[in-house]
Amino acid sequence: MNIKEYFKKLKKYEPICVIGHSNIDIDSAISSKILSEILNYFNIKAFYAILEKNYFFDEYNKKMLDDCTTFQPKIISDKKIKDYNFFLVDHNDFLQSVGKDAKIIGCIDHHPDSKKVKNSIITDCCATSLYIYQIFKKEYSFTRDQKYQIFMAFLNDSTFGKSSRFKESDKRLASELGFDMNFDELFKKYFKPTDLSIGIENCINNGHKKYEFNNIKFESGYIETFGIDGIKEYEKIISKKNNFLGIWIDYIKPTTYIFFNYEGNYIKWKYNFVASRATTILGDAMKIINQK
């Protein structure tokens, strides 16, 4: 794909609003910020934004974001959504952000393709922001600050190299950014487990997302912690929550526990590693649904 030609076609839609998914994480934030800066460099008016509702950072993502940038997006109200042309990053399903009535002109993402967005660029890179770097590194001079922002987003989305979505090609690409690749030390410095002190019930929607693939709809959330204290209560809650994919990641072993209740069919399984929701878990969940 000729990226320059791809973005020239977008110029007629300017100003372009670049936006990540709700319940935002650092990869969505950095992808939207840096892509808008690149578009403006190529003389395409663009800005990065969030919606006024359902856009908040958990403590873990906010800590890493604040360490690498000052995030100052334009805030768009629900009443104004129809006034903009949106380019999605780090998601390719309008259910996760602007809704079905918004004008969506394209996306760059690394999740399973929902087939809902035209002009979509889908990759298997472990972080959307890292893929944006790969696309433009020969044609755009990334600053040291931008590279650090991408590096931090990469660390978070690859879970410091622990996630099943992390590949050797991602490691090689990230090493080009020029920062310390001591994943274990960086994990100790930045990782924050889900705060279970507020009660398991209140943690159900941590990392919440909605999915729709060929009329198969379900929601998902996850808990990341050290150990499995509270996992039985978590499973009990998920087993009664229809069309919900619950994930519990124990970083001590490490092990990923899956609890999936879809259309009254409840099933659970586990992985003896840190499983990526975007690739490993969703793929297996869809196989289970299709078999049934």
Side-chain angles (χ1 to χ4, degrees):
M1 176 180 290
N2 187 315
I3 296 298
K4 279 189 175 181
E5 291 301 318
Y6 176 89
F7 282 106
K8 279 182 182 178
K9 294 177 181 178
L10 299 181
K11 188 169 178 62
K12 62 183 178 182
Y13 298 109
E14 61 183 3
I16 295 170
C17 176
V18 187
I19 194 164
H21 57 73
S22 60
N23 295 325
I24 193 168
D25 57 23
I26 184 173
D27 190 35
S28 267
I30 295 304
S31 294
S32 64
K33 174 184 178 295
I34 288 182
L35 184 60
S36 68
E37 292 167 348
I38 292 171
L39 289 172
N40 281 299
Y41 173 82
F42 286 115
N43 296 314
I44 302 172
K45 294 179 182 178
F47 59 92
Y48 66 100
I50 62 172
L51 301 183
E52 64 178 352
K53 293 182 180 179
N54 298 323
Y55 274 76
F56 61 90
F57 292 95
D58 60 30
E59 186 180 1
Y60 171 30
N61 279 275
K62 190 68 166 64
K63 178 183 178 182
M64 295 191 72
L65 183 67
D66 288 344
D67 192 64
C68 65
T69 190
T70 299
F71 188 62
Q72 296 178 318
K74 180 182 178 68
I75 300 175
I76 298 175
S77 69
D78 286 352
K79 295 179 181 178
K80 296 289 186 178
I81 287 178
K82 293 183 180 180
D83 295 345
Y84 297 97
N85 292 314
F86 291 96
F87 192 95
L88 311 183
V89 289
D90 200 30
H91 68 302
N92 64 83
D93 187 341
F94 47 69
L95 290 177
Q96 295 178 17
S97 60
V98 294
K100 65 180 181 180
D101 295 325
K103 291 175 284 189
I104 302 170
I105 61 173
C107 77
I108 297 178
D109 187 31
H110 64 154
H111 295 91
D113 193 350
S114 69
K115 308 295 184 182
K116 294 179 181 178
V117 179
K118 295 180 179 179
N119 300 318
S120 59
I121 301 174
I122 307 295
T123 179
D124 64 350
C125 192
C126 72
T128 303
S129 53
L130 187 62
Y131 185 60
I132 290 172
Y133 167 75
Q134 182 180 28
I135 291 173
F136 292 102
K137 64 180 182 177
K138 293 181 179 179
E139 300 168 346
Y140 177 81
S141 181
F142 288 87
T143 67
R144 179 76 171 173
D145 285 345
Q146 287 175 323
K147 288 181 178 180
Y148 185 56
Q149 292 157 17
I150 292 168
F151 181 69
M152 292 291 278
F154 151 75
L155 288 177
N156 185 286
D157 243 34
S158 69
T159 319
F160 302 84
K162 299 178 186 294
S163 173
S164 61
R165 70 164 44 175
F166 176 67
K167 306 178 299 301
E168 186 62 31
S169 58
D170 298 317
K171 184 177 181 179
R172 289 195 300 269
L173 185 60
S175 68
E176 294 179 13
L177 299 171
F179 300 99
D180 179 17
M181 298 285 281
N182 189 331
F183 293 148
D184 289 340
E185 287 301 314
L186 291 165
F187 179 76
K188 291 176 183 177
K189 180 178 180 179
Y190 288 111
F191 177 74
K192 283 186 171 292
T194 306
D195 183 9
L196 301 182
S197 68
I198 63 175
I200 300 295
E201 184 83 46
N202 295 319
C203 296
I204 295 300
N205 287 322
N206 182 64
H208 180 265
K209 282 191 176 181
K210 294 181 179 179
Y211 297 102
E212 181 178 341
F213 304 104
N214 297 322
N215 295 319
I216 296 173
K217 301 178 183 180
F218 57 91
E219 300 177 53
S220 177
Y222 56 75
I223 285 177
E224 297 178 292
T225 190
F226 298 102
I228 57 173
D229 289 346
I231 195 170
K232 290 189 180 297
E233 180 184 352
Y234 181 73
E235 178 183 357
K236 184 177 180 180
I237 294 169
I238 300 300
S239 68
K240 297 178 180 178
K241 194 173 179 64
N242 197 35
N243 296 344
F244 198 90
L245 177 68
I247 302 165
W248 183 295
I249 303 175
D250 169 17
Y251 283 99
I252 291 179
K253 288 190 175 180
T255 304
T256 305
Y257 301 87
I258 312 300
F259 308 102
F260 191 28
N261 191 3
Y262 182 76
E263 297 297 317
N265 295 302
Y266 176 70
I267 187 170
K268 60 181 181 179
W269 68 96
K270 70 177 182 178
Y271 306 92
N272 294 320
F273 53 85
V274 177
S276 163
R277 176 171 63 174
T279 53
T280 306
I281 299 171
L282 278 183
D284 288 343
M286 290 302 297
K287 289 178 184 177
I288 290 169
I289 291 173
N290 290 328
Q291 286 171 358
K292 290 185 178 298

